[in-house]
């Protein structure tokens, strides 16, 4: 197949966040933008500026980031019926967002226009044309999302095409055909996209699919075969109902199987860690059976195959796991191999080779810990301490004698209590000195944090400058209910460096304690390094 | 499209059980056979009689079951190289299993024959032809699984076709083309199956796909379009690596979208419960985002859609949820309106209109709580209790006097401590009676759960039947670090009903307590409703 450039359009932060149970903080969204940009995504849809203050803040903040490659898109709708584009608040919000790309959704299914929007077919065409033209005149790159296009085309092809024509003539950079209710099958998508291409050979088209028939990825690929040049999707396919097309799977299929160019095969090796990273921030785990990035995606079992695999691996691996940064029979980790470990260690300031450390021993240590629930994807601080232990430079800043946390609550406080109080007492040793300190807070972890800082601040005044900026709790194997292993990840900063740490235990308090201790110890390490000690 | 009968072939018990972490007992396998038979599956592959005693026992037991419709298949390989079919132990085991259908896998990829099997291309053809003929002569219906057929065809079409010809001429009832490594895309599958059909128009072909490219369902449908008349797959798509084609999704797509007849539209309404049932026995949960059967498969949220759905449901539902025995769910959230609240309340058994409750007041209450961090999308139990408060039927099962949780830890336990212990003491009142109970557990929430159950079980023996099946913790506004609001969601079941509850507090222990209390109270409500009280 001839090499073909396909524009990648990520909507994780907008359509993906529609997914039941997923809420991304502003910090999460900015962190995801950073990783998507590094991965080489072309357009990142950030949200719906009209809808809420968090999205407004997002566009302000993202404007200040210097992205290598990606362009940010703001999402909204065409102007309202019987309102001129220039007077429409929604369009004004989109311009105010400052995003270089503006994506507006509009209806293309006649029945939807008449029954849901309750206006005339002509008025809907006016809304599309005028809105696109208005945004183009304001200097924006406009993507028109043709909502329900495939149902619309089946119901009334000429009207659906008229909507596309209105957007194209008004100057839309791309018309993205949306398979909104997710029910179409690949052969229908290929046929309809082909017909649209034939009608408007000069225009650029994209595709936006949902997975209700279990065919979102295939539908997206079918559209590309029929001439679509822009693919929309979300990381790991998160989205409402059964989700969107998984953009990462689409990208891997396009790059490795259809001779298309998207992020490029070099960046493609980030796929697995990106998938895991976004899942962490969304506080959901990637199914171990997820295509390409799942922990089991290249794992083999079954007497029938085992012997054959040894002699003929390509017979049982559709692509090389390394091509997508995954590994055969390996826990998913950005540290899948020695080379990447050595490189990662260097980036943290540890030259394992020069220190004569056996990289394999470190890898085994990491894999054992990952098997117990640790993850180092977002915990450079804990990884740094682990490396220091192997290099032999680790010195505990203090040792724990004991801690006790007490949470007291009185009377029936109803569904949202305010008067619970937590108290933590820690007893620690710094060298010969013993310190006992008690801290209070609304929550037990805050109380522990306060007590620990109080206990060590005399010995380590630098901790006064350190602050926790993010605290995440994740239950592994949640089906175990309250017995589940708890993973706590903490992000801390001292105003110069920022680092993440991880703690794991059956006990959420203890997992938090372990992450807290790593956080303070790594912070002290960073301070020493900066002081040239 | 003309109506077309497609034979359904389930391999959950054989290829599905290859899935990492899934082991089915003999009883599980027999129970699954019963349900697959009731659902109308045509052929149920039971296992590999040569491989283990459990499978041998399975074939004995299943022989004694009176199935309405399904035929049982035993799975194995062709005879070994340089062994006559009549002398092959594997084939003898297959006949000994007594299964009316025998499926044997054989190689069709020249490189596999030479490098993995390490024999000649002619000997492999002999193994296929002789094995099929031998089993047919013994009165069995024979399915030939053409392993790696698609890779084989791409590498050496004429040899791959020669393997098919050998099986067809020897009397195979169906030659099932296996996309063994899962890397093919739908357009390739459709083209290759079409070519095979053209070469052997009189033969019957089936398709067996894996999901490594994220296209297993689409590949299966593509094969049917090209003339395959038998579809293989597993319930929920379980299988090794990324799994097999999800047979249930394939069946729904064939029945509802491709004019094919499989189990028939009446039995199709069992799809969702079958999916959940098999997941239960496999001890994995169906993703809430699974096509057709997932809890969120027909759930809606999002300001863009909410109002339109009420007026025009078919615009956002690719099929009627009832067609597959699932239900539409309107997610209660800031984005939802009165209509969806009333509908949701009815689904929980509360007629707000009849009860004269002001829906707006309930919406405002929900809005306020959502602003404080609650979410009711996955907490029907807490929502039900909230509605009961508005309707005026809420009676607290007990009131809290106080609880105290103590978490103790001694010495520096390193990164993964095991010796932390939590102890919880609760003091509660049930009517006039006062109960004090203490519980212990590795974690504080487990300790609270144990203590609370102990305190109320005398008054409410029904709680003994309730168990927590899922426990999630989410930090809201995580940038607040350990001061962040904590949201805890709990899923519980009493074996009949399953419900979710939510608790919110700055204190993770208290948030958990609130979710626990709601969970037990709503469980007691469900028990009362079932008892007709």
């Amino acid at each position: 197949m001839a090499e073909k450039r396909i524009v990648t359009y990520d909507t994780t932060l907008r359509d993906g966040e529609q997914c039941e149970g997923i809420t991304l903080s502003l910090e999460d969204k900015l962190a995801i933008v950073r990783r998507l940009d590094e991965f080489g995504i072309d357009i990142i849809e950030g949200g719906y500026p009209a809808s809420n203050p968090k999205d407004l803040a997002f566009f302000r903040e993202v404007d200040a980031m210097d992205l290598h490659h990606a362009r940010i898109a703001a999402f909204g709708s065409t102007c309202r019926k019987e309102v001129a584009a220039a007077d429409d608040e929604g369009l004004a919000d989109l311009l105010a967002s400052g995003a270089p790309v503006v994506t507006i959704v509009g209806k293309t299914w006649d029945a939807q226009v008449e029954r849901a929007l309750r206006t005339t077919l002509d008025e809907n065409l006016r809304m599309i044309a005028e809105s696109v033209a208005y945004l183009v005149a304001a200097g924006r790159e406009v993507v028109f999302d043709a909502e329900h296009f495939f149902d619309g085309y089946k119901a009334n092809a000429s009207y659906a095409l008229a909507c596309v024509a209105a957007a194209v003539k008004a100057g839309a950079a791309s018309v993205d055909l949306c398979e909104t209710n997710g029910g179409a099958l690949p052969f229908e998508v290929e046929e309809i996209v082909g017909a649209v291409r034939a009608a408007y050979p000069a225009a650029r088209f994209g595709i936006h699919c949902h997975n209700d028939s279990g065919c979102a990825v295939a539908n997206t690929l079918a559209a590309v075969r029929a001439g679509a040049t822009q693919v929309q999707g979300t990381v790991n396919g998160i989205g409402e109902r059964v989700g969107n097309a998984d953009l990462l799977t689409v990208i891997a299929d396009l790059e490795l199987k259809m001779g298309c160019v998207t992020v490029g095969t070099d960046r493609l090796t980030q796929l697995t860690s990106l998938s895991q990273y976004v899942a962490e921030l969304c506080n959901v785990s990637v199914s171990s059976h997820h295509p390409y990035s799942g922990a089991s995606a290249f794992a083999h079992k079954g007497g029938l195959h085992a012997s054959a695999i040894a002699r003929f691996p390509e017979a049982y691996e559709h692509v090389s796991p390394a091509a997508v940064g995954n590994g055969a029979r390996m826990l998913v980790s950005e540290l899948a191999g020695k080379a990447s470990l050595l490189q990662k260690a260097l980036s943290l300031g540890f030259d394992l080779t020069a220190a004569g450390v056996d990289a394999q021993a470190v890898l085994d240590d990491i894999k054992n810990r990952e098997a117990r629930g640790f993850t180092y994807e977002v915990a450079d601080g804990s990884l740094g301490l682990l490396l220091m232990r192997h290099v032999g430079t680790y010195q505990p800043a203090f040792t724990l004698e004991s801690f006790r946390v007490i949470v007291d609550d009185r009377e029936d406080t109803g569904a949202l209590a305010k008067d619970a109080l937590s108290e933590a007492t820690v007893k620690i040793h710094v060298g010969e000195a013993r310190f006992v300190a008690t801290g209070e807070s609304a929550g037990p972890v805050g109380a522990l944090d306060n007590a620990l800082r109080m206990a060590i601040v005399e010995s380590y005044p630098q901790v006064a400058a350190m602050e926790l900026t993010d605290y995440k709790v994740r239950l592994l194997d949640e089906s175990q209910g309250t017995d589940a292993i708890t993973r706590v990840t903490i992000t801390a900063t001292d105003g110069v460096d920022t680092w993440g740490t991880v703690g794991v235990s059956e006990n959420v308090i203890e997992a938090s304690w372990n992450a807290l201790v790593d956080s303070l110890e790594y912070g002290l390490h960073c301070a020493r390094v900066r002081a040239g000690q």
Side-chain angles (χ1 to χ4, degrees), chain A residues 371-440:
Chain A
R372 279 145 56 193
F374 284 80
T375 176
Y376 293 96
E377 297 281 342
V378 290
D380 282 357
S382 293
L383 181 60
L385 293 169
L386 179 147
L387 293 171
M388 287 162 74
R389 289 190 173 89
H390 281 271
V391 174
T393 56
Y394 172 72
Q395 296 286 352
F398 54 88
T399 56
L400 174 70
E401 178 182 313
S402 70
F403 71 69
R404 161 170 291 190
V405 177
I406 299 176
V407 179
D408 267 315
D409 199 359
R410 309 219 152 278
E411 86 239 5
D412 194 350
T413 50
L416 187 67
K418 291 195 185 51
D419 62 352
L421 187 68
S422 302
E423 174 190 299
T425 300
V426 304
K427 303 177 181 178
I428 60 151
H429 297 255
V430 180
E432 295 309 301
R434 177 170 184 272
F435 299 88
V436 176
T438 295
E440 289 188 322

Side-chain angles (χ1 to χ4, degrees), chain A residues 333-345 363:
Chain A
S333 162
E334 65 185 88
L335 307 174
K338 277 191 196 182
S340 49
L341 171 66
L342 294 173
Q343 188 182 351
K344 180 74 184 177
L363 275 183

Side-chain angles (χ1 to χ4, degrees), chain A residues 22-23 35 43 110 142 152 161 179 193 208 217 236 274 483:
Chain A
I22 288 184
T23 332
R35 286 291 292 258
I43 303 177
D110 56 0
V142 178
L161 287 171
E179 212 287 276
V193 173
H208 174 111
V217 167
N236 301 327
L274 174 61
D483 300 335

Side-chain angles (χ1 to χ4, degrees), chain A residues 67-266:
Chain A
L67 302 176
H68 305 296
H69 173 84
R71 274 144 35 240
I72 300 295
F75 178 86
S77 313
T78 60
C79 62
R80 285 155 300 153
K81 58 186 176 182
E82 289 125 39
V83 174
D87 303 332
D88 188 82
E89 291 164 9
L91 295 182
D93 289 332
L94 289 168
L95 291 176
S97 75
V101 179
V102 173
T103 300
I104 53 171
V105 62
K107 302 210 180 297
T108 63
W109 183 0
D110 56 0
Q112 266 270 304
V113 173
E114 289 167 342
R115 294 168 58 184
L117 194 59
R118 288 183 295 194
T119 187
T120 66
L121 300 183
D122 286 345
E123 171 63 1
N124 181 57
L125 291 173
R126 194 275 310 171
M127 291 157 62
I128 295 169
E130 205 176 306
S131 302
V132 172
Y134 175 73
L135 296 168
V136 169
R140 299 302 196 276
E141 175 180 343
V142 178
V143 174
F144 178 66
D145 269 1
E147 188 184 21
H148 285 117
F149 182 78
F150 295 85
D151 299 289
Y153 186 91
K154 290 178 207 169
N156 181 344
S158 64
Y159 184 71
L161 287 171
C163 296
V164 168
V168 170
K169 294 204 184 80
S174 180
V175 174
D176 289 6
L177 308 173
C178 300
E179 212 287 276
T180 305
N181 76 19
L185 300 178
F187 55 88
E188 302 172 308
V189 170
E190 187 160 352
E191 179 190 331
I192 292 173
V193 173
V196 177
R197 285 275 301 154
Y200 304 101
R204 287 190 53 238
F205 294 97
I207 182 74
H208 174 111
C209 293
H210 288 265
N211 199 39
D212 299 74
S213 303
C215 296
V217 167
N219 286 348
T220 305
L221 301 179
V224 169
R225 275 173 56 79
T229 56
Q230 180 160 294
V231 290
Q232 294 196 12
T234 64
V235 174
N236 301 327
I238 62 170
E240 67 180 327
R241 303 194 313 273
V242 303
N244 292 53
D246 176 2
L247 187 58
L248 299 185
T249 299
V250 166
I251 286 171
D253 285 341
L254 289 173
E255 287 270 353
L256 301 174
K257 298 166 186 239
M258 285 176 65
C260 299
V261 176
T262 58
V263 299
T265 50
D266 289 352

Side-chain angles (χ1 to χ4, degrees), chain A residues 278-526:
Chain A
V278 172
E280 273 297 316
L281 291 184
C282 293
N283 205 20
V284 296
S285 54
V286 180
S287 161
S288 61
H289 304 290
H290 199 78
Y292 292 106
S293 61
S296 303
F298 297 94
H300 296 288
K301 163 180 166 181
L304 185 63
H305 292 172
S307 62
I309 297 164
R311 283 197 297 279
F312 196 11
E314 57 271 48
Y316 302 95
E317 285 175 349
H318 66 122
V319 301
S320 159
V324 291
N326 204 339
R329 307 165 174 281
M330 263 184 167
L331 280 168
V332 174
S333 162
E334 65 185 88
L335 307 174
K338 277 191 196 182
S340 49
L341 171 66
L342 294 173
Q343 188 182 351
K344 180 74 184 177
L346 274 177
S347 74
L348 294 175
F350 303 97
D351 185 337
L352 299 185
T353 319
V357 172
D358 173 6
Q360 190 54 53
V362 180
L363 275 183
D364 295 344
D365 187 3
I366 289 169
K367 293 205 174 57
N368 290 335
R369 289 164 166 277
E370 285 181 327
R372 279 145 56 193
F374 284 80
T375 176
Y376 293 96
E377 297 281 342
V378 290
D380 282 357
S382 293
L383 181 60
L385 293 169
L386 179 147
L387 293 171
M388 287 162 74
R389 289 190 173 89
H390 281 271
V391 174
T393 56
Y394 172 72
Q395 296 286 352
F398 54 88
T399 56
L400 174 70
E401 178 182 313
S402 70
F403 71 69
R404 161 170 291 190
V405 177
I406 299 176
V407 179
D408 267 315
D409 199 359
R410 309 219 152 278
E411 86 239 5
D412 194 350
T413 50
L416 187 67
K418 291 195 185 51
D419 62 352
L421 187 68
S422 302
E423 174 190 299
T425 300
V426 304
K427 303 177 181 178
I428 60 151
H429 297 255
V430 180
E432 295 309 301
R434 177 170 184 272
F435 299 88
V436 176
T438 295
E440 289 188 322
S441 178
V445 179
L448 260 182
D449 184 35
N450 293 338
L452 179 56
R453 286 159 180 278
M454 199 178 312
I456 66 173
V457 69
E458 180 184 325
S459 320
Y460 302 102
Q462 311 95 303
V463 300
M466 300 179 195
E467 104 182 277
L468 305 185
T469 57
D470 192 2
Y471 171 77
K472 275 189 166 60
V473 177
R474 169 86 173 279
L475 297 183
L476 309 175
D477 188 9
E478 286 160 335
S479 63
Q480 295 306 304
T482 57
D483 300 335
I485 291 285
T486 304
R487 175 198 297 156
V488 168
T489 51
I490 284 177
T491 307
T493 181
D494 56 15
V496 186
D497 291 302
T498 298
W499 59 93
T501 56
V502 57
V504 171
S505 166
E506 281 182 353
N507 182 324
V508 62
I509 306 293
E510 181 151 45
S512 304
W513 167 265
N514 293 332
L516 271 177
V517 169
D518 272 14
S519 186
L520 291 172
E521 287 208 324
Y522 193 73
L524 293 171
H525 164 75
C526 293

